[in-house]
Amino acid sequence: MTGRLTRRGALALLGTLAGCSGVNPLSSGSEEVDLDGAAIRALADGSVPAAPRRLPIDVGSDHLAATERRARRLLDAVPASLGPDEIPNGAIRKRVRHAREHAAESLSEATAAPTPFERLEAFADARADARFAAAAWRAVDEGLTRDDLAEEIEAVREDRRAFRERWRHVGADPVDATRVHAAIEQRIDHPGPDVGGDPRRYRPGNPLGVGEIAEEIEQARVAVDDAAHLYDRLTASLDDPTDLRPRLVDARRRLREAFEAEQADLSSVDPEEPWRIEGADVDVDVEETPAAEALDELFRPINPEYDEGWEETTPARALTWAHAAFVTLNAFTSLRERVREGETFALDSADDVAAVRTAAVEALRWAEENPAEPTLTRLSTPDLSDQLTWVDEELRSVDDTVHAAWLRNDVATYLTVEARSRTTPPASRRVAEALRGG
C-alpha cells in the first residue's frame, strides 16, 4: 500500500463504498477509461533499485547479537499458540497473538536485512512487539501488574539521563557526524520523557495496559542502548573528537533562512488547490489527474502555514529535516513547471503508466549512482525505493480490467518519486556545503 489517501482520494473511496465503483464521483460526467490489467501487472517487474539504509559507522556484531537474543527470549516467553484456555477474552487474545506474530515477522526481516543498521532497527521493532506480548501474557498467566514494572521504569529513565550527560555532538566530518547524531537524537527522545506513564490505548489494569507500559519500557531500553552503542562506535573512530554542535546549529540557522526565503515564492500557491496555476499568461487546472495528486502530496510538507522539524534542541535531526525540505521544495517547483508547460500525465493506456514508472525507476537509479554526498542522499533514497516497491505491490493485485482513476494515486507516487530523486543530490550538496563551510 502507498499509505497515502488525499482529500480527493478519500472522496473517491467514499463513492466506491456507496456503490459507485464504476464511475469516478469527481469526474464531472466524463467517460471512465479502462486499462489492460494484465499489462499493468506486468509493469511490476522487480526493477526497483535497492537502496538499503546505512550509517557511516559500523554497528558492532556483538551488539546486534545481544539485541537479537533479547528479542528471541521475549518471543519465546509467549506460547506460539494461544487459545481460549490460555486467554479466555477474545479481544485480548487476538491482540497478544498479533503482537507476537509481528515480532516474529520483524525478526525474520532483521535476519534478511542487507545492512547492519537495518538489522538494528528491525530488532528494535521485534523487541517492542515481543515485550508487549510477553508482558500481557504474564499479566494473564501470572498476575503481572504495572507496579511490578516500577523499578525497571526508573532504571531506564536513569540510564537515559546518564547517557545525555556524557553525549556530545562530536565528530570529524560534519556530514557523517550529522547523520550519526540524527540517529542518536531520534532514539534518545523515544518514546518520550514520560516513559512508564499511564497507558494511552488501554486501561492500566487491563493486561493489554500492562503490555503497553512494558512495550514502552522496552522501546526506551533498546533506544538508549542503541544510542549509546552508536555514540561509542563513533567516538572510538575519532583520533581527535571535535565538538561540532556550534557548526550544526549555525548550519541549521542558515539553511532555515534560505529555505524560508525560497518558500516565500510559494505565496501565490493556493494551499487547498496547489495544482492550480493562474497568471496573466496561463490558467492551468489539472484537478483529478495524477499531476494534481502529486502536487498535492509534495506541497503539504512545505506549506508555509506549517513550521515543523527545525527544533533547536535536536540540531542534527533539524539538518536532516532541512535536507528533506529542500528536496521536496525543489521537487514541487520542478513538477509544477512541467504542469505549467502542459503535462497532466493523463492515463489513457498501460503505456502511460509504464512511462511514468520507468521515469521514476531511472531517476532513483540515477540518484543512487550519482549521490553527490552519499551520506545525505541515502537519507532519502531508501524511502523512495520503498514507495516504488509499495506501488508495484498494488499493481500486481489489479484485476484484468482496471479503471484508470483507480491508479491515479499510484501514478502520482511515481511522479513524486521521480521528482524527489532528481532533486535529492543537489539538496545533499547544499546541506553539505552549509556544514563544511561553516
Side-chain angles (χ1 to χ4, degrees):
M1 299 296 290
T2 61
R4 181 171 52 81
L5 187 64
T6 65
R7 175 173 58 86
R8 294 180 308 288
L11 290 173
L13 176 61
L14 288 174
T16 300
L17 294 177
C20 305
S21 59
V23 179
N24 176 7
L26 302 175
S27 65
S28 303
S30 61
E31 185 176 350
E32 180 60 78
V33 175
D34 289 336
L35 305 182
D36 180 353
I40 296 296
R41 292 194 297 270
L43 298 179
D45 58 3
S47 60
V48 174
R53 289 168 175 79
R54 305 175 176 89
L55 279 185
I57 58 170
D58 292 330
V59 180
S61 57
D62 289 347
H63 183 77
L64 286 171
T67 194
E68 180 181 8
R69 285 194 299 271
R70 170 66 176 169
R72 294 193 183 281
R73 281 199 301 270
L74 290 168
L75 190 67
D76 291 344
V78 186
S81 177
L82 290 171
D85 291 341
E86 290 81 13
I87 303 180
N89 185 292
I92 294 176
R93 183 173 66 252
K94 181 179 179 180
R95 181 67 184 86
V96 173
R97 290 174 63 177
H98 176 76
R100 191 189 189 283
E101 290 168 359
H102 195 273
E105 291 172 1
S106 294
L107 276 169
S108 296
E109 291 173 2
T111 302
T115 67
F117 186 53
E118 288 197 352
R119 288 196 287 277
L120 191 75
E121 294 189 318
F123 284 138
D125 290 342
R127 284 175 59 172
D129 282 314
R131 184 67 190 278
F132 178 96
W137 167 239
R138 282 190 62 194
V140 172
D141 190 48
E142 302 174 15
L144 181 73
T145 68
R146 175 183 175 180
D147 292 341
D148 295 326
L149 302 172
E151 290 186 7
E152 192 177 355
I153 291 171
E154 185 52 40
V156 74
R157 287 176 176 174
E158 178 55 37
D159 287 347
R160 184 158 61 181
R161 285 192 292 266
F163 175 73
R164 281 186 175 278
E165 289 176 1
R166 72 182 182 91
W167 169 40
R168 299 291 182 271
H169 285 78
V170 297
D173 177 72
V175 173
D176 287 350
T178 293
R179 179 68 184 97
V180 177
H181 286 292
I184 293 172
E185 289 174 357
Q186 182 180 9
R187 284 158 176 77
I188 210 62
D189 287 336
H190 184 74
D194 61 341
V195 56
D198 290 335
R200 293 175 291 277
R201 292 171 289 171
Y202 308 103
R203 294 188 303 275
N206 186 309
L208 298 181
V210 177
E212 182 181 351
I213 292 172
E215 176 188 35
E216 194 171 273
I217 295 169
E218 192 69 22
Q219 288 174 331
R221 167 55 58 200
V222 70
V224 170
D225 290 348
D226 286 354
H229 178 75
L230 296 178
Y231 183 63
D232 291 342
R233 298 289 286 190
L234 173 63
T235 56
S237 70
L238 302 174
D239 295 329
D240 184 19
T242 301
D243 184 2
L244 296 175
R245 186 181 178 88
R247 181 183 290 266
L248 269 58
V249 170
D250 182 62
R252 167 203 163 276
R253 177 188 59 78
R254 288 184 287 115
L255 287 168
R256 181 174 187 176
E257 290 173 355
F259 176 77
E260 290 177 346
E262 295 174 27
Q263 189 184 40
D265 293 337
L266 301 179
S267 59
S268 62
V269 177
D270 181 351
E272 294 300 318
E273 298 181 333
W275 61 85
R276 186 184 296 275
I277 303 172
E278 297 177 331
D281 59 344
V282 65
D283 186 2
V284 178
D285 182 3
V286 293
E287 186 174 10
E288 300 176 40
T289 71
E293 299 287 346
L295 287 171
D296 188 51
E297 178 183 329
L298 290 170
F299 183 76
R300 276 181 278 126
I302 57 171
N303 187 338
E305 295 182 3
Y306 303 106
D307 182 23
E308 300 177 356
W310 297 99
E311 290 88 347
E312 295 182 16
T313 55
T314 54
R317 291 182 70 191
L319 287 165
T320 63
W321 170 267
H323 180 265
F326 280 113
V327 167
T328 303
L329 177 64
N330 294 328
F332 175 78
T333 56
S334 66
L335 182 59
R336 200 161 189 260
E337 185 58 30
R338 294 175 70 181
V339 170
R340 179 190 294 274
E341 294 174 354
E343 297 222 41
T344 65
F345 306 97
L347 304 178
D348 295 319
S349 70
D351 288 342
D352 293 328
V353 181
V356 291
R357 182 187 181 278
T358 297
V361 169
E362 290 179 350
L364 178 57
R365 184 174 291 113
W366 171 83
E368 271 286 291
E369 294 174 353
N370 303 276
E373 293 285 342
T375 296
L376 293 172
T377 291
R378 286 166 183 155
L379 276 169
S380 297
T381 52
D383 288 337
L384 298 175
S385 178
D386 285 347
Q387 289 176 40
L388 291 184
T389 300
W390 295 334
V391 176
D392 275 6
E393 289 176 358
E394 290 194 336
L395 297 191
R396 291 188 185 98
S397 67
V398 301
D399 296 331
D400 289 338
T401 299
V402 57
H403 295 326
W406 293 2
L407 298 175
R408 191 181 297 151
N409 280 355
D410 296 325
V411 171
T413 298
Y414 286 141
L415 293 175
T416 62
V417 168
E418 179 194 358
R420 282 185 163 124
S421 295
R422 295 295 180 190
T423 58
T424 291
S428 300
R429 281 193 295 269
R430 187 169 192 169
V431 173
E433 288 168 1
L435 279 163
R436 294 194 178 115

